[in-house]
Amino acid sequence: MLRLLPWEYGVRNLFRRPGRTALTVAALTLVLLMVFAALSFVRGLNLSLAISADPRVVLIHSVGGGENLESSSIPARSAALVAASIPGIQRRYGQVYVSPELHLTTRVYVDGDEQGALGVIRGVAPTALLVRQQVQLIEGRWPQLGEVAVGRLAAVKLGRPDEALAVGQTVMIEGRRWRVSGRFAAVGSALEAEIWGPLDEFQQALKRQDVSLLAVTLGPGGEFGEIDEFCKERLDLELQATPETFFYGNLQAHYRPIRLLIWSIVALVSGAGVLAGLNTMYANVLGRVRELAMLQTLGYSRTALVLSVIQEGMLIAAISALMAAAMALWAIDGTAIRFTMGAFVLRMDSVAVATGCAVALALGVVGALTPALRVMRMPIGESLKAI
């Protein structure tokens, strides 16, 4: 039976050289903090796109406009035709869940800003709140004439402070001034980076009579095939239907290279952590050659000594992981950043924490195993004479 060193022995060894242990923990904590930052970016982007998709919502846009809804253009009368022709659409109290929307990116100016910044605007009708059920007003009121409502991440998308888009402030869009009447949230979806206003007023400001898309909610017995068949039959309208889950799934595929790049960064940072851990652990283990040799003379096998060294490495990695996770939750989690189609929030969720801790433990094992094996290959006699 394998005779192992007591658990307390490895723990006490960490405090025998407090300076070296502290430096090792600090270096590994910094490495893991960068790993957590990369993981929170990937998780935030994935969750933002996943939450944005409602499995009951179907987007109706122009043929070929599914890749970029901003380039889509369909007749405004399509909303009434769809509502009257497709029985599977959700209906309640005589209200049909069809939301005509004008969606585009344009330059938005805030007070005191002469350069402006690209923002995402969406002209909506009152039925938008029926279809976009994740949208909730958190401050102010729904926009009336000459007013807009801003998502809670709209200021981040514009690269401006939140105060610039506070309720009561004004913004200039397409040469017209609009008063901010309210702010809304959308459970972390991409809609939170947008600016919403009355559809008819946005059409006037943009000198457009069409809309970009129709967002339609399927009823309990409704099927996507009904909407798809209608779009194929009305060749004069040149419509195409896309489930919202499919649309955002394509966006996730579009951003796959970015996610792969982030994972590559995680691998590189982890590799740097392994090298740093190897250097530190080498110095730590090589300084204990005589100690390990003496333990072998006392009857402990080389396997037991290697396991004890790995235990110490994993303890250091666990301490570093806890410190890095706490720092990431405090400094990184909830931080909003911009990207091409809007903004999203970095997420230090359970998946990111678990993955980061797994990386930490792996670094602890690899960082301790290599020098331990090297030392264990030395003859006991030679090790006892080591300085």
Side-chain angles (χ1 to χ4, degrees):
M1 184 176 179
L2 180 63
R3 181 189 176 195
L4 299 177
L5 274 76
W7 172 265
E8 309 85 59
Y9 182 84
V11 176
R12 287 198 304 267
N13 271 333
L14 298 180
F15 298 97
R16 289 175 56 191
R17 301 172 179 82
R20 182 174 295 174
T21 300
L23 289 175
T24 305
V25 170
L28 195 53
T29 299
L30 181 60
V31 170
L32 292 175
L33 186 60
M34 290 186 286
V35 171
F36 279 124
L39 291 171
S40 63
F41 180 94
V42 173
R43 292 297 299 167
L45 179 59
N46 287 343
L47 289 175
S48 175
L49 296 177
I51 292 173
S52 300
D54 187 336
R56 300 181 305 159
V57 173
V58 176
L59 304 179
I60 301 177
H61 48 81
S62 62
V63 175
E67 296 295 329
N68 184 8
L69 293 179
E70 295 181 13
S71 63
S72 173
S73 175
I74 62 177
R77 62 188 177 91
S78 302
L81 292 174
V82 168
S85 305
I86 304 175
I89 297 176
Q90 176 74 33
R91 287 171 168 79
R92 189 175 184 183
Y93 302 121
Q95 186 65 60
V96 186
Y97 284 43
V98 177
S99 172
E101 299 175 358
L102 187 62
H103 179 265
L104 72 154
T105 300
T106 187
R107 194 160 290 275
V108 179
Y109 301 85
V110 299
D111 285 342
D113 181 12
E114 297 181 355
Q115 295 183 348
L118 289 178
V120 181
I121 67 172
R122 189 183 296 264
V124 295
T127 52
L129 292 179
L130 299 176
V131 178
R132 309 292 189 178
Q133 295 188 4
Q134 66 267 53
V135 174
Q136 295 181 344
L137 199 65
I138 58 176
E139 186 180 353
R141 58 181 174 81
W142 195 245
Q144 306 298 321
L145 295 177
E147 296 178 337
V148 294
V150 300
R152 68 183 187 95
L153 298 181
V156 176
K157 170 59 178 172
L158 297 176
R160 304 293 183 267
D162 287 338
E163 296 76 15
L165 293 181
V167 175
Q169 297 290 342
T170 59
V171 296
M172 182 174 289
I173 303 174
E174 296 296 325
R176 286 184 55 179
R177 288 196 170 274
W178 309 77
R179 180 181 178 274
V180 178
S181 65
R183 298 175 67 245
F184 64 86
V187 296
S189 70
L191 300 176
E192 291 187 341
E194 298 180 356
I195 300 175
W196 286 20
L199 175 61
D200 53 353
E201 286 205 276
F202 273 9
Q203 286 176 319
Q204 294 174 14
L206 295 166
K207 296 179 176 59
R208 291 179 58 171
Q209 297 180 347
D210 61 336
V211 295
S212 301
L213 68 136
L214 303 177
V216 178
T217 301
L218 292 173
E223 295 181 357
F224 169 73
E226 299 179 44
I227 301 177
D228 189 45
E229 184 179 356
F230 170 82
C231 294
K232 291 178 180 178
E233 289 178 350
R234 294 303 304 261
L235 300 178
D236 57 317
L237 299 176
E238 296 184 344
L239 301 178
Q240 181 179 347
T242 302
E244 194 171 48
T245 52
F246 184 79
F247 171 75
Y248 282 103
N250 284 340
L251 281 181
Q252 286 188 329
H254 175 74
Y255 288 109
R256 185 175 292 117
I258 297 178
R259 296 200 301 272
L260 291 176
L261 175 62
I262 296 299
W263 283 117
S264 300
I265 293 175
V266 171
L268 290 174
V269 171
S270 300
V274 170
L275 294 178
L278 285 174
N279 289 333
T280 306
M281 293 302 294
Y282 259 115
N284 187 24
V285 176
L286 289 177
R288 298 166 54 195
V289 171
R290 286 191 298 176
E291 172 195 342
L292 296 175
M294 181 60 68
L295 289 173
Q296 290 184 69
T297 63
L298 295 177
Y300 289 101
S301 66
R302 294 187 176 187
T303 302
L305 297 181
V306 170
L307 291 176
S308 179
V309 173
I310 291 176
Q311 172 199 336
E312 295 176 28
M314 293 185 68
L315 285 174
I316 291 176
I319 294 171
S320 302
L322 291 175
M323 293 178 61
M327 295 170 63
L329 288 170
W330 173 69
I332 297 176
D333 186 45
T335 302
I337 62 174
R338 290 186 289 173
F339 75 121
T340 52
M341 63 171 292
F344 66 94
V345 174
L346 301 182
R347 300 286 185 183
M348 273 291 296
D349 60 359
S350 57
V351 176
V353 173
T355 304
C357 290
V359 170
L361 294 178
L363 293 180
V365 172
V366 175
L369 181 60
T370 305
L373 291 177
R374 180 176 181 274
V375 171
M376 291 300 103
R377 292 194 186 99
M378 297 174 61
I380 296 178
E382 182 180 338
S383 300
L384 290 173
K385 298 176 183 178
I387 299 177

